[in-house]
Amino acid sequence: MTTRIIYYNQRGEGVGIYQNKPIYIPFSILNEEIEFEIVEEKEKYYIGKLKKLISPSINRNYNLPKNYEFIGGYELIHMNKEAEKEYKIYNLINTFKKIANIDLKIEDINYFQGEKELRYRNKITLFDGGLKKKKSNEIYYLDDFLLTNIKPQSTKKGKIIIRDLETRIEGHKKENLYTFDSLEDLRFKVSIGSFYQVNKEVCLYVYNKIKELIPKNKDILDLYSGIGTIAAFISNKSQSVTAVEINDSSFKDFIYNIELNNLKNITPVKQDVYKFLKNTQNNFFDVFVVDPDRTGLKKEVVKEISRLLPEKIIYLSCNIATQANDINLLKENYNIEYIEIVNMFPKTFHIENLILLNKK
Ligand SMILES: C[S@@+](CC[C@H](N)C(=O)[O-])C[C@H]1O[C@@H](n2cnc3c(N)ncnc32)[C@H](O)[C@@H]1O
């Protein structure tokens, strides 16, 4: 059986048509003509497996690592950076159309690709000393995982985090282990259980971009602040930065990092973002910077933001579906002023997206 790949689904799989139903074929590229076999039939679609390339894309990468089909993180390993960019922009446009009914123009979408397409991750999570097979409990003990220089093996059992920054730390997220990392002239304590961006090159780029998008001498509210990296970055351009974070480990590092960098105009708040906003009667802040986890802001937080109506919102997201959903609820009061995919997770289907919203 053969088909041509005519679009992509959310997981970066090529989609063809077979017997009037979509067929999702991992590791295929737009416009490729391929031979496939059926793995599973679902009610609304098929799942297929690539058997042979009839007309391969010129943007195909043939240098594939061992077990790439089974390990999470290699979804786009068969694409070069042009194909990956095409997929990520395509998926952003489709997601915003489908979820928010917003028509993003291709020429308005900026895209940042760092130098490193592989070996960019400074953190890895292992299960029983190895990498977990997708949708299974099987463990792979590999010598190399191309997305990081960290060897994907450990002698420790259970869920283990390894971070490779100034020094290498390895342990459970509740252990009292920490290291440091420098971003330009700032230095940060990073505990094993805290949030820290995994790709330093892209992280630096996006923090500088956020700083550039913020007007000078404003009062900023940094929501979901982690260990305070964004707050610290924008501190010397701002009148004040109030930053809200709920996680114990991240918040402790945040307090430490304010001292370490001698930052005088940052007010850290350990609270749930929703509760913080709910208790804010009058909006004193000019700009909100929000960087939530994959679940997004959700309705109740958006509702509070819509009540407080800051002039600008800078929204950094690692999940464009929840971002589109939140922006759908904000679009009555805000215009999208700037949009940029920053490729934080090359070779994976994950899309990190930065949006600047201006009040109408
Ligand atoms: C994607 S990280 C962003 C961290 C930081 N902006 C950075 O660039 O490193 C999201 C952060 O939001 C925090 N968080 C999640 N839900 C929260 C909530 N309801 N209230 C406050 N913080 C929350 C998490 O603990 C995590 O540190």
Side-chain angles (χ1 to χ4, degrees):
M1 290 163 294
T2 67
T3 189
R4 183 174 287 277
I5 302 303
I6 50 171
Y7 56 98
Y8 291 113
N9 69 14
Q10 307 285 334
R11 292 182 303 282
E13 296 161 355
V15 184
I17 298 291
Y18 176 67
Q19 291 183 343
N20 298 321
K21 276 210 278 202
I23 175 154
Y24 299 161
I25 304 171
F27 307 104
S28 59
I29 299 180
L30 202 62
N31 292 323
E32 282 183 334
E33 181 88 35
I34 59 171
E35 203 176 298
F36 66 92
E37 68 181 27
I38 291 169
V39 175
E40 204 180 329
E41 182 176 2
K42 303 269 191 189
E43 197 191 325
K44 294 207 168 122
Y45 60 92
Y46 291 100
I47 299 171
K49 184 174 164 42
L50 175 63
K51 290 304 291 174
K52 196 173 144 197
L53 294 160
I54 299 166
S55 63
S57 164
I58 53 163
N59 290 326
R60 179 167 274 280
N61 166 33
Y62 292 94
N63 192 7
L64 303 174
K66 218 169 133 186
N67 294 310
Y68 71 94
E69 289 159 287
F70 310 114
I71 295 169
Y74 282 151
E75 297 86 9
L76 309 187
I77 197 77
H78 61 298
M79 295 185 184
N80 71 6
K81 59 178 187 243
E82 283 74 28
E84 179 169 344
K85 178 178 175 181
E86 185 180 44
Y87 157 67
K88 289 190 172 176
I89 291 177
Y90 172 98
N91 195 5
L92 183 75
I93 291 174
N94 274 327
T95 303
F96 271 69
K97 180 69 189 161
K98 207 159 103 190
I99 297 180
N101 197 24
I102 292 174
D103 289 300
L104 296 174
K105 291 202 207 81
I106 199 159
E107 59 273 21
D108 292 338
I109 300 172
N110 301 284
Y111 188 91
F112 177 76
Q113 169 67 52
E115 294 279 310
K116 282 190 185 169
E117 284 180 74
L118 297 171
R119 310 217 177 270
Y120 57 84
R121 288 190 70 95
N122 56 40
K123 176 195 171 194
I124 184 170
T125 304
L126 301 178
F127 300 88
D128 290 338
L131 291 168
K132 212 176 200 166
K133 184 174 174 175
K134 278 193 266 186
K135 297 180 201 156
S136 126
N137 286 325
E138 215 177 299
I139 305 291
Y140 284 109
Y141 300 97
L142 303 179
D143 285 329
D144 192 15
F145 179 44
L146 285 186
L147 306 188
T148 178
N149 279 324
I150 303 168
K151 188 173 171 171
Q153 284 187 23
S154 167
T155 50
K156 298 187 175 170
K157 291 282 157 215
K159 190 174 170 182
I160 291 291
I161 296 164
I162 304 177
R163 287 185 192 275
D164 191 17
L165 298 166
E166 270 181 22
T167 54
R168 189 177 175 285
I169 51 174
E170 173 176 343
H172 297 276
K173 80 173 184 206
K174 295 274 181 218
E175 280 179 74
N176 183 21
L177 292 167
Y178 59 88
T179 179
F180 288 87
D181 196 24
S182 295
L183 295 173
E184 295 184 351
D185 54 351
L186 298 159
R187 193 158 172 257
F188 297 95
K189 180 182 180 186
V190 184
S191 292
I192 195 116
S194 297
F195 181 89
Y196 191 63
Q197 301 287 358
V198 296
N199 182 334
K200 184 163 173 173
E201 185 189 8
V202 180
C203 167
L204 270 169
Y205 175 83
V206 73
Y207 287 178
N208 274 306
K209 181 56 76 177
I210 290 171
K211 189 168 177 180
E212 185 188 315
L213 294 174
I214 287 176
K216 262 193 199 151
N217 297 325
K218 298 290 182 190
D219 293 302
I220 314 292
L221 181 61
D222 172 22
L223 299 173
Y224 311 91
S225 62
I227 63 167
T229 41
I230 294 178
F233 238 75
I234 60 177
S235 148
N236 65 2
K237 197 186 175 181
S238 306
Q239 181 73 32
S240 73
V241 185
T242 300
V244 184
E245 168 62 45
I246 199 168
N247 177 268
D248 240 342
S249 173
S250 290
F251 192 75
K252 280 186 189 142
D253 290 350
F254 186 10
I255 299 290
Y256 187 97
N257 292 330
I258 292 173
E259 284 285 311
L260 182 65
N261 294 288
N262 197 23
L263 302 167
K264 300 290 184 205
N265 62 346
I266 299 181
T267 307
V269 180
K270 184 168 190 282
Q271 206 175 16
D272 167 56
V273 163
Y274 171 69
K275 285 192 184 136
F276 176 85
L277 294 175
K278 188 86 188 150
N279 293 332
T280 304
Q281 287 321 317
N282 299 308
N283 184 19
F284 152 84
F285 305 104
D286 305 296
V287 181
F288 287 11
V289 178
V290 302
D291 181 13
D293 54 30
R294 292 185 55 72
T295 55
L297 302 175
K298 299 193 243 46
K299 248 197 214 150
E300 68 263 24
V301 168
V302 173
K303 199 172 144 213
E304 295 310 313
I305 294 177
S306 304
R307 175 177 63 79
L308 296 165
L309 284 180
E311 282 303 316
K312 288 175 191 289
I313 302 169
I314 294 180
Y315 189 154
L316 182 63
S317 164
C318 57
N319 182 348
I320 56 170
T322 54
Q323 188 185 38
N325 198 46
D326 294 333
I327 289 181
N328 185 36
L329 302 172
L330 286 164
K331 71 182 180 195
E332 193 186 327
N333 297 310
Y334 289 91
N335 288 320
I336 295 181
E337 193 61 29
Y338 184 82
I339 184 158
E340 181 161 13
I341 294 173
V342 290
N343 199 11
M344 191 74 85
F345 313 105
K347 305 295 180 199
T348 80
F349 65 84
H350 293 288
I351 300 176
E352 180 92 3
N353 190 41
L354 181 70
I355 286 187
L356 167 65
L357 298 170
N358 271 354
K359 190 159 91 176
K360 283 187 186 169

